[in-house]
């Protein structure tokens, strides 16, 4: 990460609702809003949540892995970087082949040590969200990643996050403990928490993007 400026990540995530056309529109809107990077989530719903109550929610939100290259090309047309959160090793391998600027690891995979080792083996910079983690879990994840180029994102796993639950001092503590790059995966409403996070040393701000809060889906 560039130490001299903050990187703004527009988290498109699954807010495209499984529509490639809408995903492309959201890249365009993110670029117009001034985002530096756009981020998606790539998963196979059957592999990720087959046999669970989450499957029916996740299945319509899939984008085929084959669409990654086209989305990356569109992002580059708009002069923003494309990257994604992979939830399995096939998605990870495809992102590596595309040459994304970093691999994003979701909070839910912070304790998935075999997957962290696979991420580490790519040699790519890592952005790691820390929602629901304590310091022991973070240290264990960092040990398995075994890399210096890890950016830790403070994350409160509630949607939206109430102001009394933001706790930016946790981000400051990570900066003091690990002397690495830190940032914020922000689920609060408005712009004030990201501004405060930047003042406290955040180099990455990740914020969910939607075209309308009336759209159907879990993250609008």
């Amino acid at each position: 990460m560039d130490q001299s400026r903050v990187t703004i990540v527009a988290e498109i995530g699954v807010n495209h609702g499984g529509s490639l056309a809408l995903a492309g529109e959201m890249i365009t809107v993110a670029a117009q809003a001034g985002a530096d990077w756009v981020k998606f989530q790539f998963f196979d719903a059957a592999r990720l949540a087959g046999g669970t109550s989450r499957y029916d929610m996740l299945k319509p939100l899939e984008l085929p892995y084959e669409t990654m290259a086209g989305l990356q090309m569109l992002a580059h047309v708009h002069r923003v970087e494309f990257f994604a959160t992979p939830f399995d090793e096939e998605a990870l391998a495809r992102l590596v082949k595309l040459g994304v600027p970093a691999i994003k690891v979701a909070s839910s995979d912070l304790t998935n040590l075999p997957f962290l080792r696979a991420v580490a083996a790519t040699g790519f910079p890592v952005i790691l969200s820390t929602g629901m983690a304590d310091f022991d879990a973070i240290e264990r994840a960092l040990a398995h990643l075994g890399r210096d180029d890890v950016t830790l994102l403070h994350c409160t796993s509630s949607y939206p996050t109430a102001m009394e639950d933001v706790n930016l001092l946790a981000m400051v503590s990570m900066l003091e403990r690990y002397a690495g790059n830190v940032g914020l995966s922000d689920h609060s409403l408005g712009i004030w928490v990201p501004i405060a996070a930047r003042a406290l040393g955040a180099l990455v701000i990740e914020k969910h993007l939607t075209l309308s809060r009336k759209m159907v889906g879990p993250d609008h």
Side-chain angles (χ1 to χ4, degrees):
M1 293 296 163
D2 183 349
Q3 298 279 346
S4 66
R5 63 185 301 275
V6 66
T7 297
I8 303 296
V9 177
E11 164 67 301
I12 293 171
V14 296
N15 281 352
H16 47 72
S19 165
L20 188 58
L22 185 55
E25 183 180 355
M26 295 187 79
I27 289 173
T28 301
V29 169
Q32 291 170 345
D36 300 297
W37 295 10
V38 292
K39 189 179 83 66
F40 288 82
Q41 297 175 14
F42 280 93
F43 54 85
D44 179 294
R47 239 179 290 179
L48 183 62
T52 74
S53 59
R54 296 177 64 221
Y55 174 80
D56 290 339
M57 178 191 75
L58 291 171
K59 183 60 181 175
L61 305 178
E62 286 180 339
L63 283 177
Y65 294 164
E66 292 77 14
T67 63
M68 287 185 189
L71 292 171
Q72 183 189 53
M73 288 177 62
L74 179 60
H76 288 176
V77 165
H78 289 289
R79 298 185 179 181
V80 296
E81 288 285 356
F82 164 90
F83 78 132
T85 301
F87 287 88
D88 58 52
E89 293 193 26
E90 181 183 350
L92 175 62
R94 288 176 180 266
L95 290 169
V96 168
K97 189 173 181 180
L98 288 178
V100 293
I103 302 296
K104 172 67 190 292
V105 178
S107 297
S108 56
D109 275 323
L110 184 139
T111 57
N112 185 348
L113 303 183
F115 186 66
L116 292 183
R117 290 193 291 270
V119 170
T122 69
F124 280 51
V126 177
I127 299 176
L128 176 63
S129 278
T130 61
M132 300 175 288
D134 58 19
F135 285 121
D136 287 343
I138 294 170
E139 287 165 12
R140 191 158 49 246
L142 289 173
H144 279 77
L145 286 169
R147 311 184 55 81
D148 294 327
D149 51 354
V150 177
T151 300
L152 293 173
L153 299 189
H154 171 54
C155 174
T156 305
S157 298
S158 58
Y159 301 78
T161 300
M163 282 294 181
E164 59 267 26
D165 296 327
V166 169
N167 190 20
L168 288 180
L169 290 180
M171 186 191 75
V172 175
S173 294
M174 286 191 288
L175 181 60
E176 292 172 347
R177 278 175 176 253
Y178 308 120
N181 294 337
V182 297
L184 175 69
S185 177
D186 184 41
H187 302 138
S188 70
L189 300 177
I191 64 172
W192 304 111
V193 172
I195 290 172
R198 173 55 176 162
L200 291 170
L203 293 178
V204 178
I205 301 292
E206 179 183 282
K207 190 87 169 171
H208 282 270
L209 173 72
T210 183
L211 300 185
S212 170
R213 290 181 179 154
K214 297 179 181 179
M215 296 175 73
V216 176
D219 289 340
H220 294 289

